[in-house]
Amino acid sequence: MLNSLKKIKQKKLRVGRGIGSGKGKTSGRGIKGQKSRSGVAIKSFEGGQMPLYRRLPKRGFNVIGKKEIGSLNLSEIQSFIELKKLKLTDKIDLALLKKLNIIKKKYKKLKVLGKGEVKEKLNLEVNFLSNSAKTKLEKSGSIIKIINK
């Protein structure tokens, strides 16, 4: 049994070693041309077919499903009121928050989230409102207007 487990070694094909070897002279590379030279590899060439890198759409670093919605928590609104950046008499909307540099100018819509507490009565005009924020604002007696633009 052990004698039958001999190592089988296949000789490596030595190209360019005479006409009798079958791979002599041009070593199976054909005659002339770019592919017959040494050190040449035609990368991403698919034989005239449209290469993969040109078939796929250009994407780069742009997020495909990006939504330009700025979000603000109730705790942040409360802290801005305490810092006297926001006044209770003001209507808190996207334009005011952009003007005061509270949210970035790139945002086109505004969503208020429910983290934190609100002590005062607010006048809000937003595009979206989370359920927890809605209950907390209703409890404080705030005026909420939801706009769809």
Side-chain angles (χ1 to χ4, degrees):
M1 185 79 185
L2 291 171
N3 293 341
S4 65
L5 298 172
K6 279 196 262 180
K7 286 186 180 178
I8 302 165
K9 188 168 184 181
Q10 202 170 9
K11 281 191 174 181
K12 186 184 166 201
L13 190 70
R14 297 178 71 209
V15 293
R17 295 298 191 276
I19 202 166
S21 69
K23 289 273 189 250
K25 193 182 163 217
T26 55
S27 308
R29 285 177 175 260
I31 307 157
K32 294 185 183 176
Q34 186 181 12
K35 289 183 182 175
S36 71
R37 317 286 185 220
S38 67
V40 175
I42 304 166
K43 289 184 176 74
S44 75
F45 184 71
E46 298 182 25
Q49 175 178 301
M50 188 62 69
L52 183 69
Y53 72 91
R54 287 186 60 196
R55 277 178 291 187
L56 298 174
K58 288 193 274 186
R59 283 184 59 190
F61 289 92
N62 298 325
V63 181
I64 288 173
K66 185 165 111 178
K67 291 182 173 65
E68 291 162 337
I69 301 169
S71 61
L72 207 61
N73 275 307
L74 292 176
S75 60
E76 291 168 330
I77 295 170
Q78 184 63 42
S79 65
F80 287 125
I81 290 167
E82 287 167 6
L83 291 168
K84 302 215 183 341
K85 250 190 167 182
L86 288 172
K87 294 180 191 121
L88 291 169
T89 55
D90 291 340
K91 180 178 71 174
I92 300 166
D93 62 346
L94 189 67
L96 177 75
L97 295 172
K98 281 182 181 180
K99 192 176 131 188
L100 297 171
N101 289 327
I102 292 172
I103 64 165
K104 291 181 181 173
K105 288 179 172 51
K106 69 177 181 180
Y107 295 123
K108 292 180 173 76
K109 293 183 179 185
L110 178 66
K111 180 171 184 172
V112 174
L113 305 173
K115 187 179 173 189
E117 291 294 325
V118 174
K119 296 166 190 163
E120 288 87 9
K121 187 178 173 183
L122 302 173
N123 185 2
L124 288 168
E125 191 174 295
V126 294
N127 297 89
F128 306 103
L129 191 67
S130 71
N131 290 332
S132 58
K134 190 176 183 180
T135 55
K136 287 176 184 178
L137 287 166
E138 285 171 350
K139 195 186 286 181
S140 69
S142 299
I143 302 160
I144 309 156
K145 186 181 176 191
I146 296 170
I147 49 171
N148 294 322
K149 280 187 184 177

